[in-house]
Amino acid sequence: MAEPAAASSAGDAPEPPSKNALKKAQKEKEKAEKKAAAKARELADRQKKEAADGEDVSKDSYGELPLLDSKGSDSTSTSRVLLSTIAEHEDKEITFRCWVENARSQSAKLAFVNLRQEVDTVQAVIAASDKLSKQMVKFCGTVSTESTLVVTGLVKRVKEPIKSATVKDFELHILKLFVEVKAEVPLPLQVEDAERPMPEAGLGDEDEKPAEGDARPLVGLNTRLNNRTIDLRAKINQAIFGIKSGVYLLFLEFLSKKRFTHVQTPKILGAASEGGANVFEVNYFGKKAYLAQSPQFYKQMLIASRFQRVMEIGPVFRAENSNTARHLTEFTGLDMEMEIQEHYHEVMSVLEDLMLFIFNELNTRYKKETELVRSVYHIDEFKLPESGKVPRIPFVEGIKMLREAGEEVNDYDDMSTPQEKHLGRLVLEKYNSDFYVLDQFPLAIRPAYTMPSPHNPLLSNSYDMFMRGQEILSGAQRIHDAELLADQMRKHDPPIDPNGAGTKEYVDSFRYGCPPHGGGGFGLERIVQFWLGLPNIRMCSAFPRDPQRVTP
Amino acid sequence: MAEPAAASSAGDAPEPPSKNALKKAQKEKEKAEKKAAAKARELADRQKKEAADGEDVSKDSYGELPLLDSKGSDSTSTSRVLLSTIAEHEDKEITFRCWVENARSQSAKLAFVNLRQEVDTVQAVIAASDKLSKQMVKFCGTVSTESTLVVTGLVKRVKEPIKSATVKDFELHILKLFVEVKAEVPLPLQVEDAERPMPEAGLGDEDEKPAEGDARPLVGLNTRLNNRTIDLRAKINQAIFGIKSGVYLLFLEFLSKKRFTHVQTPKILGAASEGGANVFEVNYFGKKAYLAQSPQFYKQMLIASRFQRVMEIGPVFRAENSNTARHLTEFTGLDMEMEIQEHYHEVMSVLEDLMLFIFNELNTRYKKETELVRSVYHIDEFKLPESGKVPRIPFVEGIKMLREAGEEVNDYDDMSTPQEKHLGRLVLEKYNSDFYVLDQFPLAIRPAYTMPSPHNPLLSNSYDMFMRGQEILSGAQRIHDAELLADQMRKHDPPIDPNGAGTKEYVDSFRYGCPPHGGGGFGLERIVQFWLGLPNIRMCSAFPRDPQRVTP
């Protein structure tokens, strides 16, 4: 290990550290000494007080720990357990780190502390005795909410199930309780308020006064997002982001087994290639550059580069001034693109199997989290097709269903969001599934690189996937012939110049034998939102970005 | 399925599609008819020519396929094999998609085509016979390089190993050969040139004329990157990006088993919080915003939000005007952050185990790719510590080693890149490992949020990881106390305002009982570069970004 600074300046070869650094070190030392002196005084005061109260038999079993700065040995001294395994430790002493959900003194001799770790909570109790002092009981009963603790206690089975904790059958008899990191009082947001729904079934941005007969306020989205690091502590949020991580990992697990290569495509682009609308501009060393709206061009260029199956998870940026409950300006794209051997339905099959895999695994591996979230917002279970066969509905068939249900809509019109939701209800009725595919969209409402249908020039080899009547994926067979692609770009509304900046490299990459291919892109936050039936997509982004919000 | 447009206009309820759309459809139809007529003429011409040459017995076994637009049934008609499994098909007929490495006519009766799929190549041969026409032999011998084919052939064992293909023991006797997508001639870059090293051992940007006695040019980095979709087809590049995908997936595999949650932190920030230098500015709906230089603040805020262990893979943006072989303006960060129970070495242990897992799995799962790449650049194998214990070298000990080797460097100085590389050689000599950790860096050269060392105020609880003497990770225990953090920010050089925009939210998140924590961030491209010993980091980014390059 290093010698202190003073020692090294005595040698000959090495230059001493700068005078400033030495001064600084000296200052630090003085400060540390002052601190130590203050602590000593504090201790003396306490001892005096204790002498007055009678000796504190528990004085080594509670208190505030010094700042953990890794001063001690790096070999772990205690074995700490996970609260989720508490049932394995009946009648045993356990030590664990946790935090304070709330603490209350029942009397001078009895205190309760609700302790939390991850999404588990346990009731801890301490009663004064000849081994546990009243001072310690008082300390435990007044420890501030959200402080981080290290607690040692005895796991005891209880007769009546405990209502206020997730651990119902056991309580903890506190033996030691140390505050490791103290939370300031008061908190700008109460975690227990963050556990409850938002006003207007989750669509309310502003706080709402408590309903009559309920003393608790309904906290709106703005307050929550402004205090997001506290808001995220709520069990419902821990569950949401556990599930989000799950979808992320399941996507990769499934596709990597299917021989997809994970790639990274650039997020800074020299030209606003995909149409040019809704892109953020970046100052790139004094020149204009743009943030990628999707990895579309690049994932196709990688197929042209002979990566037969590629996937990418990455941020997607949309400078769209939409202030709705399902738009973000920055979200997470789950993208894939693959060679087609004979028919673009090969891609649809991979995508359907992928989503069924994810849903089924969420139902098993993330059952606890899913149930926790849905219970707060009283959301129906997500219905999967019983046959295991995902309904594939031709677009015009969907239009027909809507017309029969009274909607005024034409065969080749784009559906509005309310119409999509309406169709979702009709599909659920008819097929008993919240997940389905619309196939063969009208060519005119799809991007220029979409392969036209060989059966009807007004249609295309493209599809969208839906959950609970809302779009989660858009995909298609792409045009892999440079001349046809350039042609379609010129004919597109609005037209795209196939020789434009950024576009030319894309079109040219199809001149050298690019195989037929197709793919699609999911929005990760939408999958999580609709799986859980949540009212607002911002709930599925840790630090959401919208036209009004770029902080925290 | 949808009726054609004309039919739907006959009904009553649905409105007909717009006149423009109908006109367009009519035009499409006429165009298709013209095309069909041209095809028919072509066929007639060919038949005439064939009648002159004598009938073509193979006429249904070769030619150009029409554009694959998914016209046929969506149930797969042929079973296509992977070239990597060819040994399982001895004396059998197989069909597969592949592309042309090169084709040559030996005579009017004999032609060879080297076929490639993924990183495998096989020699295919066709000899004229009563079943295979001379016309077909000619067609096979002149098919353009890089065209995509569908080939059917008989797998036959050969007596002498084939030098020019990766499949040494078998050749393919062509029975059918169809061009599915034709590559234009000439290609702007030859794939076989992309297979060979760059000039100046990989550091040359410009092309170089062939050395005397070698007819082949050495293609520089610029030509390669300007034609990246062809360059990437080289086996060496397929291998590099296969390995990159591997590191990505292995990182997640290891940490998800260790209960890390994958998170997404925002890439667009309202304030340039981390010091403010080297950030790209974004026009965010008319206001200034910035691209994230790292997920540092946010991953810590997630620890403060009670996510006990988080990881993130995502793009990282650095507006640094560095034009070196190891800097990119956009790269892939592999980040992690975790609670510390007692000592920051807990984090180092996870990081070391993670990297050893990745290296060992690369050596098994990606052995073929690793060997392929290293063979081109004649790179030594990556040495791992035989004991399985990663050398942990205190920073000042590293400085001492350098001084003893003649470098002029002080205990608390930052090492220069050449000094780091020098130390890498010394460590390799002493510990026989290309992978090691430097621990306890001087506080003054680390970010303001670094926990100072309890043993020496000039040092800190921070570390870097190195591969072949080059940094791949920087990490530390972070300050989890708001007051100490604000204090250190004010004292930092240059000072940071703890109440500044973006910074305040970060500092405030430590006021509510945030547990002790630490973490680190890797550069994915660097891990791949140094694992393989490649000369330039641009080789490890599919579409690299540097101060001079934002295209393709």
Side-chain angles (χ1 to χ4, degrees), chain A residues 373-389:
Chain A
V373 179
R374 284 188 192 152
S375 70
V376 176
Y377 279 90
H378 310 293
I379 305 297
D380 288 340
E381 203 182 317
F382 189 89
K383 283 232 173 64
L384 290 172
E386 268 172 48
S387 62
K389 233 188 120 175

Side-chain angles (χ1 to χ4, degrees), chain A residues 28 74 80 148 341 345 513, chain B residues 74 80 148 341 345 491 513:
Chain A
E28 296 288 328
D74 66 357
R80 294 182 177 179
T148 293
Q341 296 296 327
H345 282 178
Chain B
D74 67 356
R80 294 182 177 180
T148 292
Q341 297 295 328
H345 281 179
K491 289 196 295 191

Side-chain angles (χ1 to χ4, degrees), chain A residues 339-545:
Chain A
E339 267 190 39
I340 290 168
Q341 296 296 327
E342 300 187 352
H343 198 288
Y344 76 96
H345 282 178
E346 294 162 25
V347 187
M348 271 168 61
S349 295
V350 171
L351 289 168
E352 288 165 0
D353 292 348
L354 164 67
M355 289 314 294
L356 290 179
F357 171 78
I358 290 176
F359 295 143
N360 287 323
E361 295 306 309
L362 286 178
N363 269 337
T364 51
R365 298 191 216 175
Y366 297 86
K367 191 180 167 66
K368 185 174 165 181
E369 289 86 347
T370 297
E371 283 172 359
L372 193 157
V373 179
R374 284 188 192 152
S375 70
V376 176
Y377 279 90
H378 310 293
I379 305 297
D380 288 340
E381 203 182 317
F382 189 89
K383 283 232 173 64
L384 290 172
E386 268 172 48
S387 62
K389 233 188 120 175
V390 180
R392 277 186 194 175
I393 303 163
F395 182 85
V396 266
E397 172 67 27
I399 292 283
K400 205 175 141 205
M401 286 170 73
L402 279 176
R403 263 202 308 262
E404 284 169 3
E407 297 271 357
E408 286 189 21
V409 59
N410 297 319
D411 275 13
Y412 302 98
D413 281 358
D414 208 354
M415 289 179 200
S416 68
T417 304
Q419 285 167 344
E420 283 179 348
K421 287 186 187 170
H422 188 177
L423 183 60
R425 293 191 297 274
L426 298 173
V427 172
L428 179 61
E429 245 168 61
K430 186 168 174 183
Y431 297 94
N432 204 28
S433 176
D434 278 313
F435 176 54
Y436 55 93
V437 187
L438 283 189
D439 190 16
Q440 293 268 318
F441 271 68
L443 183 64
I445 59 171
R446 304 298 276 199
Y449 48 74
T450 310
M451 183 67 84
S453 166
H455 307 295
N456 177 347
L458 290 180
L459 296 178
S460 65
N461 293 351
S462 66
Y463 40 83
D464 277 5
M465 289 187 155
F466 292 83
M467 287 172 69
R468 299 189 199 257
Q470 303 202 69
E471 186 218 315
I472 53 156
L473 167 132
S474 200
Q477 179 179 358
R478 330 293 186 179
I479 298 171
H480 60 278
D481 177 272
E483 290 316 319
L484 178 60
L485 177 60
D487 224 41
Q488 291 294 102
M489 283 182 157
R490 281 186 216 102
K491 288 196 294 192
H492 199 255
D493 179 23
I496 301 167
D497 177 7
N499 294 309
T503 315
K504 189 179 183 310
E505 289 99 333
Y506 167 67
V507 175
D508 281 350
S509 62
F510 302 111
R511 299 194 186 282
Y512 314 115
C514 175
H517 60 283
F522 295 93
L524 173 57
E525 288 78 8
R526 286 196 178 183
I527 295 178
V528 177
Q529 184 188 359
F530 304 137
W531 171 250
L532 295 169
L534 291 173
N536 198 314
I537 197 163
R538 286 162 187 76
M539 298 170 76
C540 304
S541 174
F543 300 96
R545 296 294 181 251

Side-chain angles (χ1 to χ4, degrees), chain A residues 56-68:
Chain A
D56 185 351
V57 291
S58 306
K59 67 177 187 300
D60 298 327
S61 301
Y62 71 99
E64 288 180 24
L65 296 174
L67 180 79
L68 192 154

Side-chain angles (χ1 to χ4, degrees), chain B residues 233-254:
Chain B
R233 297 176 175 191
K235 286 190 281 287
I236 178 173
N237 285 327
Q238 298 278 317
I240 288 171
F241 290 94
I243 289 168
K244 190 179 183 184
S245 176
V247 175
Y248 180 101
L249 295 169
L250 291 166
F251 177 90
L252 296 168
E253 182 179 329
F254 183 86

